[in-house]
Amino acid sequence: MSSRASAVSNQEIPGREVTMVDALRAALREEMRRDKRVILLGEDIGVEGGFGGAFTVTLGLSEEFGHHRVLDTPISEAAIAGVAAGAALAGLRPVADVQYGDFLFLAMDQLANNAAKLRYMSGGKLSVSMVFRAPVGATTRGAQHGQSLEAFFMHVPGLKVACPSNPYDGKGLLKTAIRDDNPVIFFEHKLLYGSKGARKEKGGLQVVGWVPDEEYLIPFGEAKIVRPGRDITLVANLLMVHKSMQAAEILAAEGVDAEVIDVRTLTPFDWETVFQSVRKTTRLLIVEEDNLTGGWGAEVAARVADDCIGYLDGPIRRIAAPDTPVPFAPVMENFYVPSVEKIVGAVRELVKVHN
Amino acid sequence: MSSRASAVSNQEIPGREVTMVDALRAALREEMRRDKRVILLGEDIGVEGGFGGAFTVTLGLSEEFGHHRVLDTPISEAAIAGVAAGAALAGLRPVADVQYGDFLFLAMDQLANNAAKLRYMSGGKLSVSMVFRAPVGATTRGAQHGQSLEAFFMHVPGLKVACPSNPYDGKGLLKTAIRDDNPVIFFEHKLLYGSKGARKEKGGLQVVGWVPDEEYLIPFGEAKIVRPGRDITLVANLLMVHKSMQAAEILAAEGVDAEVIDVRTLTPFDWETVFQSVRKTTRLLIVEEDNLTGGWGAEVAARVADDCIGYLDGPIRRIAAPDTPVPFAPVMENFYVPSVEKIVGAVRELVKVHN
Amino acid sequence: MSETKERKLFMYHRMLMCRMFEERVYYLFLEGRLPGTIHQSQGQEASAVGVCSALEDKDMITSTHRPHSHAIARGVSVRSLMAELFARETGCCRGKGGSMHVGDMEAGMVPAIAIVGGGIPLAAGCALAFRYLEQPNIVACFFGEGATNIGTFHEAVNMAAIWNLPVVFVCENNKYAASTAVEKVMRVKRVSERAMAYGIPGETLDGNDVEAVYQAMRKAGSRARAGDGPTLLELETYRFAGHSRSDPGRYREPEEVAAWKQRDPIARYEAKLLAERVLEPAEITKIKTSIERELEAAVAQAESDPSPKPEDCLSDVFAS
Amino acid sequence: MSETKERKLFMYHRMLMCRMFEERVYYLFLEGRLPGTIHQSQGQEASAVGVCSALEDKDMITSTHRPHSHAIARGVSVRSLMAELFARETGCCRGKGGSMHVGDMEAGMVPAIAIVGGGIPLAAGCALAFRYLEQPNIVACFFGEGATNIGTFHEAVNMAAIWNLPVVFVCENNKYAASTAVEKVMRVKRVSERAMAYGIPGETLDGNDVEAVYQAMRKAGSRARAGDGPTLLELETYRFAGHSRSDPGRYREPEEVAAWKQRDPIARYEAKLLAERVLEPAEITKIKTSIERELEAAVAQAESDPSPKPEDCLSDVFAS
Ligand SMILES: Cc1ncc(C[n+]2csc(CCOP(=O)(O)OP(=O)(O)O)c2C)c(N)n1
Ligand SMILES: Cc1ncc(C[n+]2csc(CCOP(=O)(O)OP(=O)(O)O)c2C)c(N)n1
Ligand SMILES: [Mg+2]
Ligand SMILES: [Mg+2]
């Protein structure tokens, strides 16, 4: 594995532009080839003539690895999570999934009470090496198919939480997650999959990203400054990284230089990168698609308000979905999901306040 | 119903000292007498010769109201929640419970995806008038019987969340919860029950509180300043209100005058009372038994860091359980649960910093 | 017209309405005029209509991610359904629910629950309320065979069984849960065998025979209404379309699809009614034309209906 | 000594150890020497010991909130169990687990899961790993009859069934879930009937007959090991004590308790072994004395063992 590869796109290194779906599938394929203990569990993930899971990520893997490694399950989310945890206890490295993150609540007991706690309850003797993948984000499917659930899992001690915003990170983080000896909840944003054909999402970003041909891993707990800036810090994840970047471009034209941080993993969280940025820019806006109250952004605000309050030149603000379920009608959903305009507006206000 | 009674203990008004268990039972009894639509659902709540639920709250109610109103369920937490929600849709006002809050994860889908969202998904046409009671808090029963889960539910739009610290509030809030047309998650702290006899908890506070004989309700969304003070604001709930009060007494002897706020309900939250207090004291310490990262205290810190940052004379700090499961050994559990000493220590540091 | 004849024509009409609604909706999707996704139920109309035709006023149904036919069969207004799919203020959920959550409790339908199995406890809960309030009503609880593998099915059916609740569990066994064939995920031959685990009657029947469905539901309904508890009805059927809008259904053999299309519940019933002379050939076109017109009007109305305002997304979280 | 005789004496010894451990623990609680709470299993020793005696090295068990006898029967060291109850650093969970989470995967026991039914998917998962790794092992999954009403039972048993996993589901039907009598919460007469819903064999047997339990478990175990899938064994038994430390058990008729005490699995087996001359009367006291001594030593050791430090609560959250 190359350490060079952990640098961002570099013309010297052979690689190619791929979608998130391609990148995640490649991560699964590479890890399955490398380690026989890696198996997949989920609904509709390996059926012949089927979808490769709800968003095609596992397409073709049952053909390559066989149905004993790509297990199509009944609709039994609690058992999917619990069976994965049990298999992990006995030495496998299962990667399980739900078709929509919203169904995680069905598996929550197994994830939060068993997978997350078994190592601790055993006094550190066991480990539960599993990954649980979950697509999040609103895509005009209404209240039960569009939630962002990162905060719930960030609040469970014993679980790691990843949330990549681009194919490069997606691949590198998923490979790391699979090799991690702890349970990892791996959030993927539906509008970032770049799925094509029938599974293409309206409003989906055409995110393709460069990924080196050489193998690489991305460690957990390292945020990425995706745009350095001087005037304000924007902290975001998943789709909101892209919206924050778009906002930063607009703001740049107005002379406001925003630093954008992609948190990449919520647990462990790279507090230092955020703190350093805030100490430099003296202003903080957190951007998340999750509901405002109790979102992961609250934790970021709280930590900064503890560690960096003396450096702040104004209030800590959050742009998040309002405290409502996800509405169906696109006009309402567009209002619900934080927009580039809202980010820009909030930044304008923040830089104005104490300038 | 008397409005006088909503004042705190008043010698003029007839009343008596009762435990939390007595107060909650009285609330259930009064509401069941008042409104035939109120029914109870739960495990072991009405069995002859049984416990009256895990903590005796429903003892005697099946005798008074019959088994058609006090329904002993199988061990089926998801169905308990979903059946309660369904019954609410069709006009009843169920009060359901889990024996330990930790089991809420099993019911989470029904609570968060159905009960919380049905009103919204119906465009406001329906209401889900139910209460779901859940005991929380660590009491040397280990990782799966001691969690504090308020933050998970505060983060679900459509759910109200109550967490009374004393019998007076317990009774008034539970009655309000039952009459509310929305789903309410009602958290009770095991060490505050004041249960006697076999169900007595080691380390349980002998909290008895004065409760008027006359009927009263306590509105949601009104925090209570349980101790006014000038130097620092302590925001707490449940057991931590008592620890904060003890800390405040110790601090008073040192000349530090702490204001202690009992939040009473997390949704709706009485932001104004907290903001006003912080503007006055200029210092904030949040005290919760929940795990630090993503606890409800993070939201309080975030809101204050948004609204009151200009008033703050130092960092916003939180005292919470560390990010670990609940350990079994009492020596570890005592370290895990925020102590009076830790609160005192944190306050000393905060008042020192900018004095 | 005799009551039976009237009912038969009613069921025929309703099934056609279900079918034509779904076809219309499908084209609207292809044309890009509807947002979101849809799960269609062409081929399953006999179960929706047979069950709902056996219900009384104020009875209730619960439904799933595939709810259109259930809603139509239950009598939810077609206009309000269409408007909901168009995300209009006038939709049955005022644009907040969408395809997967259509419903209207006034019309006897709880908003559909799109989480597989998630509606089953709600059904039991409604039934509990009916019994408690001494309301002589029942609940018909729809779900797919895939849902019988999830925990809530088990818990809620058991709870309804021990309490003898007035609910009929209606499993539409269309052989697939998304791409997953039923044989792969359960070892029992018939879903109805699962009733045994709860000590309630279970019955498997031809879910494409609307008359048979109606009769079985009458029977199970009477039993429930009489206080004798729930029944599990397994209705064998098939969805002609893919699982959702985006599914070409390549996991099914074309022969299998073709064979089931031979058993089209509407064509079969039509033939039967013609043979019985309940229906005259000339009436068929008339009925279809009138449905076509109704759908046309519903679409036109929906298109001109007001959209919710963006900020409307903030209301209806809490009852006050 | 013949293999059979050895095994019989072993089972007798283990049952006694279970019983005497629980009695000892009970008194330690009454004396206030142990923290937390306990769920005791006096009366249920035949099921724990019959099942575990039929296991091989590296087989696994999963357990519940009532795990002491399972742990002892599986061969988890009595010292490490006692130390765990005393919340010592030397406990099998290093003081982090407590009574409800005892276990030791080295000894073949997953830490017990105290959430009813929560261990069942873990059992299926372990079994999946065994099969996948071509390890010739099986899992015995213990749970109470009350657990068969929860969703995870349904989901996990079904999954194990469709995949023919090497797991034996062992339901200890002790007639009550806390204070709730089994007849109130399920309509089937026998829990084993629920096996039919998953297309696997189910069998009800006298759970207080250790020999019968052993034989049934051998058979089900062989079946599982051969790749023929899971079995649901229902072991009819009774707990002599209350549900937990604080339960006086007033929801049970004294006559019922007395009748079951007549069927004490240990007394019965003792009488049988005496009759078979496998056991001599004189040996009984010897065995009891030696167990007494072992328990005494375990208690003494536990009391003098080091306690974890308060800050130890911070470690073991993540593997690094
Ligand atoms: C709990 C849950 N898991 C997965 C899904 C995704 N999903 C939607 S429909 C479906 C298949 C449902 O099959 P079945 O119950 O047979 O109903 P059908 O679609 O055949 O009508 C799946 C897996 C879901 N909505 N809910
Ligand atoms: C999901 C869940 N609900 C409730 C409880 C509280 N509780 C602990 S043991 C028990 C009864 C369990 O009965 P059963 O499964 O028959 O086992 P037994 O106690 O009889 O051994 C209950 C209700 C729990 N631990 N987990
Ligand atoms: Mg189906
Ligand atoms: Mg039992």
Side-chain angles (χ1 to χ4, degrees):
Chain A
M1 179 190 22
S2 154
S3 63
R4 274 187 310 156
S6 69
V8 189
S9 176
N10 178 330
Q11 303 305 348
E12 307 285 292
I13 306 173
R16 43 198 197 106
E17 301 283 323
V18 302
T19 63
M20 178 70 91
V21 161
D22 296 331
L24 296 173
R25 191 184 300 132
L28 292 174
R29 182 178 283 128
E30 287 176 18
E31 293 305 303
M32 290 179 81
R33 285 184 185 162
R34 198 184 65 88
D35 186 347
K36 206 193 136 213
R37 296 169 304 170
V38 180
I39 62 163
L40 311 184
L41 287 160
E43 295 158 19
D44 304 297
I45 61 172
V47 178
E48 272 83 21
F51 323 129
F55 296 94
T56 72
V57 173
T58 58
L59 207 60
L61 298 180
S62 68
E63 284 80 353
E64 175 170 351
F65 298 101
H67 289 291
H68 65 302
R69 292 189 73 185
V70 182
L71 290 125
D72 284 304
T73 67
I75 303 173
S76 307
E77 277 76 5
I80 292 172
V83 166
L89 285 175
L92 301 190
R93 297 190 161 272
V95 181
D97 73 351
V98 278
Q99 300 198 337
Y100 285 79
D102 312 67
F103 313 155
L104 284 171
F105 291 136
L106 289 161
M108 191 100 181
D109 169 62
Q110 289 296 321
L111 294 173
N113 281 328
N114 286 359
K117 296 182 171 59
L118 269 158
R119 179 177 183 78
Y120 193 80
M121 298 193 306
S122 73
K125 293 182 184 169
L126 307 179
S127 59
V128 184
S129 46
M130 63 181 271
V131 179
F132 208 84
R133 297 177 39 238
V136 293
T139 62
T140 65
R141 272 150 186 71
Q144 296 182 334
H145 283 73
Q147 296 168 79
S148 291
L149 301 104
E150 301 97 276
F152 290 107
F153 294 87
M154 186 191 191
H155 186 47
V156 178
L159 296 180
K160 293 193 175 180
V161 179
C163 44
S165 72
N166 62 75
Y168 178 81
D169 289 349
K171 183 175 178 201
L173 289 170
L174 183 52
K175 284 170 66 85
T176 302
I178 294 171
R179 298 187 195 185
D180 199 297
D181 284 336
N182 300 287
V184 177
I185 313 294
F186 198 91
F187 289 106
E188 302 162 8
H189 198 288
K190 287 161 229 160
L191 295 182
L192 296 178
Y193 276 130
S195 311
K196 281 167 240 153
R199 304 303 304 181
K200 181 164 178 290
E201 287 293 332
K202 259 193 202 161
L205 296 191
Q206 272 324 315
V207 202
V208 287
W210 182 86
V211 163
D213 294 337
E214 245 189 344
E215 184 175 50
Y216 65 99
L217 297 173
I218 297 177
F220 275 42
E222 291 191 9
K224 186 155 80 180
I225 300 176
V226 286
R227 184 185 192 287
R230 280 170 294 108
D231 298 332
I232 184 167
T233 301
L234 304 190
V235 176
N237 74 340
L238 293 166
L239 182 65
M240 292 302 131
V241 173
H242 300 269
K243 298 215 176 176
S244 298
M245 286 297 282
Q246 290 171 38
E249 293 315 313
I250 294 172
L251 290 160
E254 303 174 6
V256 178
D257 188 18
E259 176 146 309
V260 181
I261 298 178
D262 179 349
V263 300
R264 303 208 290 189
T265 61
L266 290 166
T267 311
F269 195 100
D270 183 356
W271 297 116
E272 224 19 74
T273 295
V274 171
F275 293 167
Q276 277 178 21
S277 174
V278 170
R279 285 188 201 116
K280 178 178 73 175
T281 65
T282 75
R283 292 185 188 85
L284 174 60
L285 178 70
I286 302 148
V287 190
E288 58 182 328
E289 186 173 327
D290 205 347
N291 300 108
L292 179 73
T293 298
W296 60 263
E299 183 61 30
V300 177
R303 298 266 178 161
V304 170
D306 186 340
D307 266 80
C308 314
I309 200 149
Y311 295 87
L312 283 168
D313 257 336
I316 298 174
R317 205 135 280 171
R318 291 172 290 159
I319 297 281
D323 290 333
T324 79
V326 184
F328 163 63
V331 288
M332 290 195 276
E333 197 193 78
N334 288 338
F335 182 87
Y336 171 91
V337 176
S339 63
V340 175
E341 295 69 44
K342 272 191 196 150
I343 301 170
V344 169
V347 171
R348 280 189 194 132
E349 223 186 279
L350 283 172
V351 294
K352 194 172 59 193
V353 172
H354 291 258
N355 255 3
Chain B
M1 180 190 20
S2 155
S3 63
R4 274 186 311 153
S6 68
V8 190
S9 174
N10 178 331
Q11 302 307 343
E12 310 282 292
I13 306 174
R16 50 205 188 98
E17 302 282 323
V18 301
T19 63
M20 178 70 91
V21 161
D22 297 331
L24 297 174
R25 190 184 300 131
L28 293 174
R29 181 177 283 128
E30 287 176 17
E31 293 305 302
M32 291 179 81
R33 285 183 185 163
R34 198 184 65 87
D35 186 348
K36 204 192 139 216
R37 296 169 303 171
V38 180
I39 62 164
L40 310 185
L41 288 160
E43 295 159 19
D44 304 296
I45 62 173
V47 178
E48 272 82 23
F51 323 128
F55 296 94
T56 73
V57 172
T58 59
L59 208 60
L61 298 180
S62 67
E63 284 79 354
E64 176 171 352
F65 299 101
H67 289 290
H68 66 300
R69 292 189 71 185
V70 182
L71 291 125
D72 284 304
T73 67
I75 304 173
S76 307
E77 277 77 5
I80 293 172
V83 166
L89 285 175
L92 300 190
R93 297 191 161 271
V95 182
D97 73 351
V98 279
Q99 300 197 337
Y100 284 80
D102 311 66
F103 313 155
L104 283 172
F105 291 135
L106 289 162
M108 191 100 180
D109 169 62
Q110 289 295 322
L111 294 172
N113 282 329
N114 285 359
K117 297 182 170 60
L118 268 158
R119 179 177 183 77
Y120 193 79
M121 297 192 308
S122 73
K125 293 182 184 168
L126 307 178
S127 58
V128 184
S129 47
M130 64 181 271
V131 179
F132 208 85
R133 298 177 40 238
V136 293
T139 63
T140 65
R141 273 151 185 72
Q144 296 182 335
H145 284 71
Q147 296 167 80
S148 291
L149 301 104
E150 301 97 277
F152 291 106
F153 294 89
M154 186 191 191
H155 186 48
V156 178
L159 297 179
K160 294 193 174 180
V161 179
C163 44
S165 71
N166 62 76
Y168 178 82
D169 289 349
K171 184 175 176 196
L173 288 170
L174 184 52
K175 284 170 65 84
T176 302
I178 294 171
R179 297 187 196 185
D180 199 297
D181 284 336
N182 300 286
V184 178
I185 313 293
F186 198 91
F187 289 105
E188 303 163 7
H189 198 289
K190 287 161 227 160
L191 295 182
L192 296 178
Y193 276 131
S195 310
K196 282 167 240 154
R199 305 301 306 181
K200 183 165 177 291
E201 286 293 330
K202 258 194 202 160
L205 296 190
Q206 271 324 314
V207 202
V208 288
W210 182 86
V211 163
D213 294 337
E214 245 187 347
E215 184 175 51
Y216 66 99
L217 297 175
I218 296 178
F220 274 41
E222 291 190 10
K224 186 156 81 180
I225 299 175
V226 286
R227 185 185 191 287
R230 281 170 293 109
D231 298 332
I232 184 167
T233 301
L234 304 190
V235 176
N237 75 340
L238 295 166
L239 183 65
M240 292 303 131
V241 173
H242 301 269
K243 297 216 176 175
S244 298
M245 286 297 281
Q246 289 170 38
E249 293 314 314
I250 295 172
L251 290 159
E254 302 175 5
V256 178
D257 188 18
E259 176 145 308
V260 181
I261 299 179
D262 179 349
V263 299
R264 303 209 290 191
T265 61
L266 290 166
T267 310
F269 195 101
D270 183 356
W271 298 115
E272 225 18 75
T273 296
V274 172
F275 293 167
Q276 277 177 23
S277 174
V278 171
R279 285 186 201 120
K280 177 179 71 176
T281 65
T282 75
R283 293 185 189 83
L284 173 60
L285 178 70
I286 302 148
V287 190
E288 58 182 328
E289 187 173 327
D290 205 345
N291 299 108
L292 179 73
T293 298
W296 60 263
E299 183 62 30
V300 176
R303 298 265 179 162
V304 171
D306 187 341
D307 266 81
C308 313
I309 201 150
Y311 295 88
L312 284 167
D313 258 336
I316 298 174
R317 205 135 278 171
R318 292 172 291 159
I319 297 281
D323 290 332
T324 79
V326 183
F328 163 63
V331 288
M332 289 195 277
E333 196 192 81
N334 288 337
F335 181 87
Y336 171 92
V337 177
S339 64
V340 175
E341 295 69 42
K342 272 193 197 149
I343 301 169
V344 169
V347 170
R348 281 189 194 131
E349 223 185 280
L350 282 171
V351 296
K352 195 173 57 192
V353 172
H354 292 256
N355 255 3
Chain C
M1 202 159 33
S2 81
E3 215 192 298
T4 317
K5 185 174 167 193
E6 204 177 331
R7 179 178 55 73
K8 287 181 173 177
L9 283 174
F10 174 82
M11 294 204 301
Y12 174 70
H13 185 277
R14 275 278 157 97
M15 285 204 291
L16 265 179
M17 177 60 92
C18 292
R19 174 72 52 92
M20 291 167 72
F21 181 90
E22 292 286 44
E23 296 295 339
R24 171 57 72 112
V25 162
Y26 183 64
Y27 289 112
L28 289 167
F29 256 95
L30 288 187
E31 292 166 22
R33 288 158 76 187
L34 295 183
T37 191
I38 39 164
H39 300 85
Q40 305 226 299
S41 53
Q42 293 95 320
Q44 305 188 183
E45 296 86 355
S47 95
V49 171
V51 166
C52 291
S53 302
L55 297 178
E56 308 286 339
D57 191 35
K58 292 197 156 51
D59 285 348
M60 197 62 73
I61 69 168
T62 63
S63 177
T64 68
H65 57 284
R66 198 181 301 289
H68 302 171
S69 285
H70 301 151
I72 291 170
R74 185 64 190 118
V76 174
S77 108
V78 168
R79 283 208 175 180
S80 77
L81 286 171
M82 193 62 87
E84 188 61 29
L85 300 193
F86 271 92
R88 298 305 181 198
E89 174 65 37
T90 49
C92 56
C93 305
R94 301 183 46 227
K96 287 210 160 98
S99 163
M100 289 199 274
H101 304 302
V102 297
D104 178 350
M105 282 190 64
E106 296 286 303
M109 177 180 187
V110 174
I113 299 299
I115 308 233
V116 168
I120 310 179
L122 296 180
C126 281
L128 174 66
F130 288 160
R131 215 254 312 271
Y132 181 82
L133 297 169
E134 294 173 28
Q135 217 175 295
N137 291 104
I138 65 170
V139 183
C141 171
F142 286 102
F143 50 87
E145 87 295 339
T148 69
N149 292 322
I150 202 156
T152 44
F153 164 82
H154 180 69
E155 295 188 5
V157 174
N158 184 58
M159 214 176 268
I162 59 170
W163 293 342
N164 277 318
L165 297 181
V167 51
V168 179
F169 296 107
V170 180
C171 177
E172 297 182 304
N173 182 352
N174 62 5
K175 315 301 180 201
Y176 293 86
S179 71
T180 304
V182 59
E183 313 85 60
K184 284 185 63 173
V185 288
M186 63 177 74
R187 283 177 70 137
V188 287
K189 283 269 166 319
R190 297 166 179 279
V191 169
S192 61
E193 293 175 55
R194 294 200 155 166
M196 287 191 278
Y198 314 105
I200 61 168
E203 192 183 340
T204 300
L205 54 145
D206 181 347
N208 282 7
D209 177 345
V210 69
E211 205 50 52
V213 172
Y214 172 82
Q215 297 302 346
M217 182 65 199
R218 284 305 293 181
K219 203 173 116 214
S222 305
R223 192 172 178 278
R225 248 180 264 274
D228 295 333
T231 301
L232 174 59
L233 293 183
E234 175 187 15
L235 309 182
E236 296 198 287
T237 184
Y238 204 76
R239 62 169 154 71
F240 293 163
H243 167 61
S244 66
R245 181 182 56 94
S246 58
D247 170 24
R250 278 192 285 264
Y251 46 85
R252 306 191 302 191
E253 297 296 333
E255 296 74 37
E256 183 183 274
V257 181
W260 275 96
K261 284 199 172 158
Q262 292 300 317
R263 299 178 52 189
D264 183 327
I266 301 182
R268 276 169 68 187
Y269 202 51
E270 193 175 275
K272 183 167 144 67
L273 296 193
L274 287 171
E276 286 177 4
R277 314 284 319 246
V278 167
L279 186 68
E280 297 302 323
E283 286 173 279
I284 297 178
T285 349
K286 259 207 267 175
I287 295 174
K288 288 188 176 168
T289 315
S290 93
I291 293 177
E292 201 56 69
R293 265 200 223 108
E294 194 175 339
L295 289 171
E296 202 55 65
V299 170
Q301 179 76 54
E303 291 203 297
S304 66
D305 275 348
S307 166
K309 282 182 287 300
E311 323 80 71
D312 288 344
C313 97
L314 300 176
S315 61
D316 299 325
V317 180
F318 288 112
S320 53
Chain D
M1 201 159 35
S2 81
E3 215 192 300
T4 317
K5 185 176 166 190
E6 205 177 329
R7 179 178 56 73
K8 287 181 173 176
L9 284 175
F10 174 83
M11 296 205 300
Y12 174 70
H13 184 277
R14 275 278 157 97
M15 286 204 290
L16 265 180
M17 177 61 93
C18 292
R19 174 72 52 92
M20 290 166 72
F21 181 91
E22 292 285 45
E23 296 294 338
R24 170 57 70 111
V25 162
Y26 183 64
Y27 288 112
L28 288 166
F29 255 95
L30 288 186
E31 291 165 24
R33 288 158 77 187
L34 294 184
T37 191
I38 38 165
H39 301 85
Q40 305 226 297
S41 53
Q42 294 97 319
Q44 304 188 183
E45 296 86 354
S47 94
V49 171
V51 166
C52 291
S53 301
L55 296 179
E56 308 286 341
D57 191 35
K58 294 197 156 48
D59 286 348
M60 197 61 74
I61 68 168
T62 62
S63 177
T64 69
H65 57 285
R66 198 181 301 289
H68 302 171
S69 285
H70 301 151
I72 291 169
R74 186 66 189 118
V76 175
S77 109
V78 168
R79 282 207 177 181
S80 77
L81 285 171
M82 193 62 86
E84 187 62 29
L85 301 192
F86 271 91
R88 298 304 181 200
E89 174 65 36
T90 49
C92 55
C93 305
R94 301 184 45 227
K96 288 209 160 100
S99 163
M100 288 198 274
H101 303 301
V102 297
D104 178 351
M105 281 191 64
E106 296 286 304
M109 177 179 186
V110 174
I113 298 299
I115 308 233
V116 168
I120 309 179
L122 296 181
C126 281
L128 174 66
F130 288 160
R131 215 254 313 269
Y132 181 81
L133 297 169
E134 293 174 28
Q135 215 175 294
N137 291 105
I138 64 170
V139 183
C141 171
F142 286 103
F143 49 86
E145 87 296 338
T148 70
N149 291 322
I150 202 156
T152 44
F153 164 81
H154 179 69
E155 295 187 6
V157 174
N158 185 58
M159 216 177 269
I162 58 170
W163 293 341
N164 276 318
L165 297 181
V167 50
V168 179
F169 296 107
V170 180
C171 177
E172 297 181 302
N173 182 352
N174 62 6
K175 315 301 180 203
Y176 292 86
S179 72
T180 304
V182 60
E183 314 84 58
K184 284 184 64 171
V185 287
M186 64 178 74
R187 282 177 72 137
V188 287
K189 283 269 166 319
R190 297 167 180 278
V191 169
S192 61
E193 295 175 55
R194 294 199 156 169
M196 287 191 278
Y198 313 105
I200 60 169
E203 192 184 340
T204 301
L205 54 144
D206 181 348
N208 282 7
D209 178 344
V210 70
E211 207 46 55
V213 172
Y214 172 82
Q215 298 302 346
M217 182 64 199
R218 282 305 293 183
K219 203 173 115 214
S222 306
R223 192 172 179 279
R225 248 180 265 274
D228 295 333
T231 302
L232 173 59
L233 293 183
E234 175 186 16
L235 309 181
E236 296 198 287
T237 184
Y238 204 77
R239 62 169 154 71
F240 293 163
H243 167 63
S244 67
R245 182 182 56 95
S246 59
D247 170 25
R250 278 192 286 263
Y251 46 86
R252 306 192 300 192
E253 297 296 333
E255 297 73 37
E256 182 183 275
V257 181
W260 276 96
K261 285 201 170 156
Q262 291 300 316
R263 299 177 53 190
D264 184 326
I266 301 183
R268 275 168 70 187
Y269 202 51
E270 192 175 276
K272 182 168 146 60
L273 296 193
L274 287 171
E276 286 178 4
R277 314 284 319 245
V278 169
L279 186 69
E280 297 302 322
E283 286 173 279
I284 296 178
T285 348
K286 259 208 269 176
I287 295 174
K288 287 189 175 167
T289 314
S290 93
I291 292 176
E292 201 56 68
R293 266 201 223 107
E294 194 176 337
L295 288 170
E296 201 55 63
V299 170
Q301 180 75 54
E303 292 204 297
S304 67
D305 275 347
S307 166
K309 283 183 287 301
E311 322 79 72
D312 288 344
C313 96
L314 300 177
S315 61
D316 299 325
V317 179
F318 288 111
S320 53

